[in-house]
Amino acid sequence: MIKQSIIENVLEAALSTGGDFSEVFIEDKYVNTMELQSGKIEKSISGRDFGIGIRIFSGLQSIYTYTTDFSEEGLLLAAKRAALAIKGGGHGTIHTLQKEVCTPIHQIAQLPRTVEHARKAAVMKTANDIARKYDERIRQVALRYIDEEQHVLIANSEGKFVEDTRVYSRLAIQATASDGHEMQTGFYGPGAHAGFEFIENLDLDHYAGEAARIAVTMLGADECPSGKFPVIIDNEFGGVIFHEACGHGLEATAVAKNNSVFANRIGEKVAPDIVTYIDDGTLPNEWGSLTVDDEGEKTRKNVLIENGILKGYLVDKFNARRMNTEATGSSRRESYRFNPTSRMTNTFITPGESKPEDIIASTEHGIYAKYMGGGQVNPATGDYNFAVAEAYLVKDGKIDRPVRGATLIGNGAKTLQLVDRVGNNLAHGAGMCGSLSGSLPVNVGQPMIRVSEITVGGTKGE
């Protein structure tokens, strides 16, 4: 991308006023998006973005800047301007850059950039037809296709010099059903760290069919009762609750400043023995995976909670200084425009021993959340509020009628302690996570779990 000698000069310039660490993040990214509405491709946009981020540390002071001027003169100017904000006590040392060879953990068969738009559009139209044919009450189907090819080069004053290529592909499907009086929607958005082969091999009958089925099912659903109930949360995207309400509280972004209910609690019992919670960026071709993080560290399997005991946090390089610990390969950013910080990759509850049918059969009365929707959480307290996209009553150990308007309200740390059954059917769901360093692809996952009690907000009293 840029000559190594120029990168070395930029790192040197960044330390000219007393910084003790400098870093360069170079990004060259191709993005393609297509949108289908009313059976037609309404939008198709392709673009390329190139830029360089420069970061400087001096003790617990951090400065970040970025530029799209990749001339040596422009880069040196940006580095020197950033350095002016540093008031260090000396001049940091520049170690010889040693290029690292990273073995790719993701097999990419077809770079999306090499695939003609007609093939991408054909997949979208097939998914559209499947969803529309599911039921005559399906009135609208919207699809969004996205692929991204990101090339990065990361170098720092400690001698780090590593390059990586990330390829992402995703198809988001939304179906809308109407009976003439009201409308309901269903959504499914599979994604992977993979090439166009992932899109072409998708089981569209399943994904498009599920989006349509959710919309039609909720169209005829009763109003959800409100109260405190045992709640069964199904696998895959059901893991979004613990991603939001617990996962963010285990990121050093919050922990290092004591803005988390999990701060300073390593070794404490925070969940039942049946709960083990992991963030693993090394899973081949998963949506949230990376070969190296955005500081150039190899990603790894980080055990956060093991058999109920808090074991660790997700730590980036700067917050490692605050916490007097080591980085965990968990630093991420949306692009060169963002200062990196600790973020999740593929975060999930590991499988337990219970069969899903046994979890349901052992529940006399409660709520079954098959698919979760969106929500919000206070990272400092863990208090959350999540909508359920598809919910059912559970009566006498059986799934009963569908209900709509269900909202799960609680506190992540407390909910974690109330998990009393963990299934054996782990699955992951693709999503986008927004935080200080931008919006990033992440997987959330879990087997089916049961929480002994959650406050359920509904549209009628129980």
Side-chain angles (χ1 to χ4, degrees):
M1 292 180 178
I2 294 177
K3 290 181 180 180
Q4 182 171 326
S5 59
I6 295 177
I7 293 172
E8 291 171 342
N9 291 339
V10 173
L11 293 171
E12 180 77 27
L15 298 182
S16 61
T17 60
D20 57 62
F21 172 85
S22 59
E23 174 194 76
V24 171
F25 177 86
I26 304 171
E27 177 185 27
D28 189 6
K29 180 162 62 178
Y30 300 84
V31 178
N32 175 66
T33 61
M34 300 174 68
E35 295 181 9
L36 182 147
Q37 297 273 358
S38 301
K40 298 180 180 180
I41 301 296
E42 297 288 348
K43 185 184 294 186
S44 179
I45 301 174
S46 298
R48 182 181 182 185
D49 196 11
F50 185 93
I52 302 97
I54 301 171
R55 187 166 59 151
I56 312 169
F57 295 167
S58 178
L60 294 181
Q61 184 182 12
S62 175
I63 301 298
Y64 188 75
T65 189
Y66 66 86
T67 180
T68 57
D69 182 350
F70 53 90
S71 68
E72 183 171 10
E73 181 181 1
L75 289 171
L76 290 174
L77 179 61
K80 290 176 181 177
R81 283 179 174 173
L84 291 175
I86 288 290
K87 297 179 181 179
H91 193 295
T93 302
I94 301 292
H95 295 269
T96 302
L97 298 183
Q98 298 288 339
K99 187 169 184 177
E100 298 179 29
V101 177
C102 293
T103 303
I105 61 175
H106 312 289
Q107 298 301 314
I108 308 296
Q110 273 189 303
L111 287 175
R113 192 156 48 99
T114 67
V115 177
E116 59 271 22
H117 280 48
R119 286 174 62 192
K120 300 172 182 179
V123 174
M124 299 175 73
K125 290 178 179 178
T126 298
N128 172 75
D129 292 343
I130 292 170
R132 286 185 175 276
K133 291 176 181 178
Y134 179 85
D135 190 284
E136 63 181 7
R137 289 168 290 181
I138 297 295
R139 302 298 173 84
Q140 182 60 273
V141 178
L143 291 103
R144 187 170 190 265
Y145 166 90
I146 183 168
D147 62 56
E148 180 179 301
E149 183 180 329
Q150 182 195 39
H151 305 277
V152 299
L153 187 156
I154 303 152
N156 65 38
S157 56
E158 295 176 347
K160 174 76 66 179
F161 188 92
V162 61
E163 294 182 77
D164 189 26
T165 297
R166 296 91 174 257
V167 179
Y168 297 100
S169 301
R170 193 182 192 197
L171 183 66
I173 308 164
Q174 179 172 289
T176 302
S178 175
D179 60 4
H181 301 287
E182 61 178 280
M183 294 189 299
Q184 294 289 329
T185 61
F187 175 85
Y188 223 135
H193 188 137
F196 187 68
E197 68 278 1
F198 171 77
I199 298 296
E200 280 200 318
N201 291 328
L202 280 175
D203 183 351
L204 296 179
D205 287 321
H206 169 68
Y207 291 111
E210 276 292 272
R213 186 196 60 75
I214 295 168
V216 171
T217 299
M218 289 297 98
L219 194 62
D222 293 336
E223 295 179 344
C224 182
S226 58
K228 293 184 177 180
F229 305 97
V231 176
I232 299 168
I233 306 173
D234 214 340
N235 63 359
E236 199 173 339
F237 204 72
V240 69
I241 284 186
F242 290 105
H243 166 95
E244 293 289 355
C246 297
H248 282 299
L250 295 169
E251 293 170 337
T253 309
V255 175
K257 298 179 180 179
N258 291 319
N259 290 334
S260 167
V261 294
F262 296 107
N264 303 309
R265 296 184 63 187
I266 296 293
E268 289 188 23
K269 187 82 168 177
V270 297
D273 292 347
I274 56 175
V275 174
T276 293
Y277 195 47
I278 286 173
D279 184 273
D280 190 349
T282 71
L283 300 177
N285 293 112
E286 289 293 345
W287 177 242
S289 293
L290 299 159
T291 302
V292 297
D293 74 357
D294 288 330
E295 292 176 336
E297 297 297 324
K298 290 182 180 180
T299 56
R300 63 192 75 171
K301 177 181 179 179
N302 290 301
V303 178
L304 305 174
I305 299 171
E306 185 174 29
N307 300 327
I309 305 296
L310 182 61
K311 291 291 187 177
Y313 305 115
L314 300 175
V315 187
D316 59 281
K317 197 172 188 68
F318 182 69
N319 281 306
R321 292 185 170 209
R322 293 181 182 274
M323 299 168 65
N324 193 30
T325 187
E326 295 182 356
T328 60
S330 307
S331 186
R332 302 185 67 189
R333 62 181 112 195
E334 178 181 331
S335 72
Y336 65 88
R337 294 181 176 87
F338 292 84
N339 191 5
T341 192
S342 54
R343 301 289 295 276
M344 287 172 275
T345 57
N346 307 300
T347 315
F348 56 95
I349 295 174
T350 61
E353 298 180 355
S354 297
K355 296 179 181 179
E357 56 267 30
D358 292 340
I359 295 176
I360 295 168
S362 65
T363 305
E364 183 177 345
H365 181 61
I367 301 292
Y368 167 48
K370 182 170 178 60
Y371 287 116
M372 294 301 302
Q376 55 188 357
V377 63
N378 182 333
T381 64
D383 293 335
Y384 65 79
N385 185 313
F386 279 92
V388 183
E390 183 181 3
Y392 297 82
L393 294 180
V394 178
K395 288 187 176 182
D396 300 322
K398 296 180 180 179
I399 295 176
D400 196 54
R401 65 187 187 275
V403 291
R404 62 187 176 191
T407 303
L408 305 185
I409 304 165
N411 176 273
K414 292 179 180 178
T415 299
L416 193 62
Q417 294 172 343
L418 295 176
V419 175
D420 64 4
R421 298 293 290 271
V422 177
N424 59 6
N425 60 335
L426 171 65
H428 299 273
M432 298 298 295
C433 175
S435 190
L436 295 177
S437 59
S439 181
L440 298 169
V442 297
N443 262 3
V444 298
Q446 65 177 38
M448 177 186 283
I449 65 169
R450 186 177 68 187
V451 181
S452 61
E453 183 179 275
I454 298 181
T455 297
V456 179
T459 50
K460 69 175 183 178
E462 172 68 348

